[in-house]
C-alpha cells in the first residue's frame, strides 16, 4: 500500500515512483520539497519526467519542460534520456548528451528540481536508507546537515574529554556569494554550491565530515587532527576553490573562499565555544582581504564580539 508524504516526508525530501522491473529502483526528490506526493509502483518500461500532468512524474516547476526526460528500463537496468528539454537534463552536474546508464545514487537535475535515482533489491532496506539520508543530509549539496554536525561534535567532544583525542573545526565561507545570486540567479547559485561542496568533499581525508551549516557556509570536522595539520587541510581546500573556475550555465565563474580553523583544546571546551572560535577566525580571514585561512597561529587579534 503506498505511503503518503505525511508518512515519508523528513528533512525536505520525499519518495517518488517505485519501479518493479527490471530489478527495483526509485526516484527520490531531494530539492525542493513538495507537499503532495506518494510512492507509486511503475509498470511501464518508460517513465517520463516533466511538467505536463500526463507525465509519469509530473513536477510543478516552471523551469522543467512539459516532456523533459525519460528513464527507460530494460533487462539490464536503467538509462536516462533528455527529451529535447529547454534547459537540459544534468546527471551528477554533467549535461546529459544521448543516453546514460543509471547504476544507483545519481543526482538528476531537471530545471530547479533535483531527483536522486536509487536502485535496491530490498524495498524495505531502501526505504529506511532513504529516511536516514533525509534526516542527516542537506538536500542541495548532499553534505551532512546542521543537526548531524552538532551531534557529531558532541560525540567527538565527549571522546576527547575521555581520551584526549584532538579534532578541529574548519569553517568555510564562499566569498561574495550574494553577487552570484544577484547577477546570475539562484539556479546558478545552487549549481555553484553543489560544485563547491563536491570540491571540498574530494579533498577530505577518510573520517573527515563535510557539513553545510547554512547558506554558503560549510564546516569540515577533521578528526584526530591538531591545529597545524588542520590548517594544511584548509589551505588545500582554499586553493581548490581559487585555482579552478566553476563551470555553470552562466559560464565559468572565478570564486574564492575564506576559512577559519579552531581545535578542541581540553575538557573545558564546549561545542559552542569551538564553533565560536572558528567563526572568529573566519571573520579575521574576511577582514584580512578574504581568500585566506586564519587560526590561532595568526598573531592579529580577533574581537570577541564581531
Amino acid at each position: 500500500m503506498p505511503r503518503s508524504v505525511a508518512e515519508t516526508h523528513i528533512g525536505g525530501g520525499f519518495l517518488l515512483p517505485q519501479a518493479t522491473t527490471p530489478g527495483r529502483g526509485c526516484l527520490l526528490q531531494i530539492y525542493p520539497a513538495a507537499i503532495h506526493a506518494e510512492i507509486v509502483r511503475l509498470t511501464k518500461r518508460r517513465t517520463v519526467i516533466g511538467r505536463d500532468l500526463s507525465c509519469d512524474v509530473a513536477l510543478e516547476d516552471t523551469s522543467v519542460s512539459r516532456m523533459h526526460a525519460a528513464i527507460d528500463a530494460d533487462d539490464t537496468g536503467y538509462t536516462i534520456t533528455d527529451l529535447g528539454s529547454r534547459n537540459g537534463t544534468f546527471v551528477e552536474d554533467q549535461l546529459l548528451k544521448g543516453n546514460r546508464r543509471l547504476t544507483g545514487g545519481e543526482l538528476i537535475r531537471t530545471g530547479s528540481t533535483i531527483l536522486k535515482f536509487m536502485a535496491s533489491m530490498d524495498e524495505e532496506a531502501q526505504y529506511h536508507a532513504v529516511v536516514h539520508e533525509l534526516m542527516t543530509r542537506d538536500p542541495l549539496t548532499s553534505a551532512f546537515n546542521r543537526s548531524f554536525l552538532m551531534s557529531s561534535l558532541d560525540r567527538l567532544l565527549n571522546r576527547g574529554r575521555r581520551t584526549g583525542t584532538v579534532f578541529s573545526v574548519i569553517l568555510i565561507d564562499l566569498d561574495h556569494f550574494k553577487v552570484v545570486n544577484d547577477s546570475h540567479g539562484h539556479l546558478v547559485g545552487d549549481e555553484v554550491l553543489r560544485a563547491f561542496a563536491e570540491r571540498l568533499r574530494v579533498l577530505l581525508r577518510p573520517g573527515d565530515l563535510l557539513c553545510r551549516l547554512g547558506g554558503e557556509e560549510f564546516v569540515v570536522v577533521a578528526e584526530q587532527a591538531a591545529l597545524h595539520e588542520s590548517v594544511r587541510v584548509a589551505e588545500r581546500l582554499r586553493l581548490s576553490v581559487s585555482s579552478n573556475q566553476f563551470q555553470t550555465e552562466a559560464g565559468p565563474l572565478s570564486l574564492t573562499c575564506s576559512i577559519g580553523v579552531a581545535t578542541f583544546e581540553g575538557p573545558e571546551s564546549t561545542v559552542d565555544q569551538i564553533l565560536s572560535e572558528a567563526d572568529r577566525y573566519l571573520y579575521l580571514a574576511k577582514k584580512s582581504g578574504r581568500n585566506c585561512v586564519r587560526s590561532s597561529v595568526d598573531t592579529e587579534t580577533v574581537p570577541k564580539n564581531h
Side-chain angles (χ1 to χ4, degrees):
M1 178 178 178
R3 295 181 180 89
S4 70
V5 112
E7 296 173 292
T8 60
H9 176 71
I10 295 180
F14 63 86
L15 290 174
L16 279 173
Q18 176 75 38
T20 56
T21 55
R24 287 209 290 262
C26 72
L27 290 175
L28 165 69
Q29 181 168 333
I30 59 176
Y31 183 84
I35 300 173
H36 303 292
E38 60 181 12
I39 299 174
V40 179
R41 294 188 178 276
L42 300 179
T43 56
K44 296 180 180 178
R45 287 285 181 170
R46 164 162 282 206
T47 301
V48 178
I49 303 167
R51 196 177 75 253
D52 196 285
L53 293 178
S54 66
C55 292
D56 302 298
V57 180
L59 302 174
E60 296 182 8
D61 182 346
T62 56
S63 59
V64 170
S65 295
R66 297 180 68 84
M67 301 286 179
H68 198 106
I71 296 178
D72 294 298
D74 58 31
D75 292 337
T76 62
Y78 298 87
T79 57
I80 184 169
T81 307
D82 184 81
L83 298 179
S85 65
R86 182 177 71 254
N87 295 323
T89 301
F90 292 78
V91 180
E92 298 295 337
D93 267 333
Q94 298 295 316
L95 180 64
L96 182 63
K97 298 179 180 179
N99 299 332
R100 174 164 173 168
R101 179 70 62 179
L102 297 173
T103 59
E106 293 91 350
L107 294 181
I108 301 166
R109 177 158 57 89
T110 57
S112 60
T113 299
I114 302 172
L115 308 169
K116 184 171 184 176
F117 175 77
M118 301 183 68
S120 173
M121 304 216 25
D122 185 338
E123 180 180 344
E124 189 68 19
Q126 177 172 282
Y127 170 71
H128 288 295
V130 166
V131 169
H132 180 264
E133 178 148 332
L134 289 173
M135 291 175 65
T136 61
R137 295 280 183 177
D138 168 58
L140 179 63
T141 64
S142 292
F144 288 108
N145 59 25
R146 185 188 184 101
S147 176
F148 189 84
L149 167 67
M150 301 306 286
S151 63
S152 297
L153 289 176
D154 274 330
R155 173 180 55 83
L156 290 172
L157 197 64
N158 290 331
R159 188 181 71 183
R161 287 169 177 161
R162 291 194 314 270
T163 66
T165 305
V166 298
F167 67 91
S168 295
V169 169
I170 303 171
L171 185 56
I172 311 162
D173 188 88
L174 199 56
D175 296 327
H176 302 300
F177 180 69
K178 185 176 184 298
V179 175
V180 175
N181 280 335
D182 291 347
S183 301
H184 306 291
H186 288 275
L187 288 180
V188 171
D190 288 350
E191 191 176 2
V192 167
L193 288 176
R194 287 192 298 272
F196 179 55
E198 186 56 30
R199 281 200 198 178
L200 302 180
R201 186 180 291 111
V202 298
L203 290 176
L204 298 185
R205 309 166 313 154
D208 290 346
L209 298 177
L210 175 65
C211 308
R212 187 181 181 193
L213 193 59
E216 68 273 24
E217 202 166 60
F218 291 77
V219 174
V220 170
V221 180
E223 295 197 39
Q224 300 184 11
L227 181 60
H228 287 281
E229 183 179 0
S230 299
V231 168
R232 287 195 295 270
V233 171
E235 279 291 352
R236 289 200 301 270
L237 299 177
R238 183 190 66 79
L239 285 171
S240 74
V241 174
S242 62
S243 60
N244 296 287
Q245 291 182 312
F246 288 79
Q247 303 301 320
T248 73
E249 292 185 24
L253 300 178
S254 296
L255 297 166
T256 61
C257 65
S258 300
I259 304 178
V261 182
T263 301
F264 167 72
E265 295 180 342
E268 301 305 316
S269 298
T270 67
V271 169
D272 286 344
Q273 286 172 346
I274 296 170
L275 288 174
S276 178
E277 192 75 1
D279 186 57
R280 289 174 58 220
Y281 288 112
L282 174 61
Y283 172 79
L284 176 56
K286 289 186 172 294
K287 182 182 174 185
S288 302
R290 295 182 169 85
N291 190 26
C292 61
V293 176
R294 291 293 181 263
S295 69
S296 60
V297 300
D298 298 289
T299 57
E300 184 175 348
T301 59
V302 187
K304 289 287 185 182
N305 297 305
H306 57 78

